[in-house]
Amino acid sequence: SQKIEQNSEALNIQEGKTATLTCNYTNYSPAYLQWYRQDPGRGPVFLLLIRENEKEKRKERLKVTFDTTLKQSLFHITASQPADSATYLCALESGGSYIPTFGRGTSLIVHP
Amino acid sequence: DTAVSQTPKYLVTQMGNDKSIKCEQNLGHDTMYWYKQDSKKFLKIMFSYNNKELIINETVPNRFSPKSPDKAHLNLHINSLELGDSAVYFCASSPTRVYEQYFGPGTRLTVT
């Protein structure tokens, strides 16, 4: 069966460090993968999209990698700040179906 | 300017009632979605419309009926509400089916 796995345990890090979040998937052949941020009581906010033929994408302090062999995406936030504390969701579509499927998200807590 | 708006933000109702949630986007996007986020924060797609045409209809009870009067609006009508319908419902839009999604603020539905 298809699965998208993100760490259910919260990631606690100190301000200024790099946060790395993982998204693993099985039985998908996604053409692209997306990362979103969700704050409590709010809708998800799009951060980055990476396509299957791209290994890495960057936007300011954010970096995403996509390894279709390992079936894994890593999401990095460098020089993390307390304001980066939120839940981060990965999403991918199911092999040309255009049906976006979200992982359950990982909570990031950045301590000052 | 609000990109994707939903009304109401909170909806408390009794079992057996019928209710509607409205969604509007002013981004000029072609595709709109309805998602349900349950108490475990799992975000699951329910429906998607592309240019007023239903393109995704996941396994959702037929008590849920989406309606798209035009490209900028996608409403969700729910008949005979049940306790299990309690959740946060998010509307989203995207330029096309393969791009990032912009989410509304959510509607918290509580069925008593």
Side-chain angles (χ1 to χ4, degrees):
Chain A
S1 63
Q2 295 178 321
K3 266 190 200 175
I4 301 174
E5 292 179 338
Q6 295 186 256
N7 265 350
S8 55
E9 286 183 18
L11 177 63
N12 285 273
I13 64 168
Q14 285 299 123
E15 184 175 8
K17 301 290 187 186
T18 296
T20 299
L21 305 174
T22 305
C23 176
N24 294 305
Y25 60 91
T26 53
N27 294 321
Y28 280 97
S29 298
Y32 59 93
L33 187 146
Q34 303 179 55
W35 283 89
Y36 290 79
R37 169 186 173 139
Q38 187 172 22
D39 291 283
R42 293 180 174 264
V45 174
F46 170 76
L47 297 174
L48 282 166
L49 181 152
I50 186 165
R51 299 186 185 280
E52 60 179 336
N53 59 352
E54 298 174 313
K55 294 292 184 191
E56 181 180 299
K57 205 138 190 203
R58 292 173 187 260
K59 179 182 172 184
E60 297 171 354
R61 295 183 296 111
L62 309 180
K63 184 177 90 171
V64 171
T65 62
F66 192 12
D67 189 326
T68 54
T69 302
L70 288 179
K71 297 188 183 298
Q72 180 182 77
S73 175
L74 298 178
F75 177 79
H76 307 272
I77 305 175
T78 57
S80 58
Q81 305 164 359
D84 295 326
S85 299
T87 296
Y88 291 86
L89 308 167
C90 71
L92 46 85
E93 58 80 56
S94 181
S97 71
Y98 303 113
I99 299 175
T101 304
F102 282 78
R104 290 183 182 268
T106 298
S107 174
L108 172 66
I109 302 168
V110 182
H111 299 276
Chain B
D1 277 348
T2 304
V4 182
S5 59
Q6 293 178 230
T7 52
K9 187 160 175 63
Y10 300 97
L11 187 51
V12 181
T13 188
Q14 291 185 325
M15 284 174 55
N17 285 348
D18 303 338
K19 290 292 176 187
S20 292
I21 307 172
K22 294 188 175 182
C23 177
E24 177 181 1
Q25 54 98 0
N26 63 5
L27 298 166
H29 288 168
D30 285 343
T31 309
M32 295 185 73
Y33 308 82
W34 276 111
Y35 285 87
K36 177 181 180 180
Q37 189 167 46
D38 60 24
S39 56
K40 294 184 179 177
K41 307 299 182 188
F42 185 43
L43 190 64
K44 186 167 172 53
I45 190 166
M46 301 171 68
F47 302 103
S48 177
Y49 271 73
N50 189 58
N51 278 319
K52 299 197 314 176
E53 183 184 339
L54 181 65
I55 55 170
I56 295 172
N57 183 355
E58 287 297 272
T59 310
V60 176
N62 56 15
R63 298 182 294 104
F64 290 78
S65 53
K67 283 190 173 52
S68 182
D70 56 58
K71 216 170 75 162
H73 296 85
L74 180 61
N75 303 323
L76 183 66
H77 189 75
I78 316 170
N79 289 329
S80 303
L81 278 154
E82 300 177 356
L83 292 176
D85 298 332
S86 296
V88 181
Y89 291 84
F90 287 102
C91 176
S93 72
S94 65
T96 69
R97 289 184 285 177
V98 294
Y99 281 94
E100 68 274 14
Q101 297 175 51
Y102 295 79
F103 284 79
T107 295
R108 181 173 293 277
L109 171 65
T110 304
V111 182
T112 61

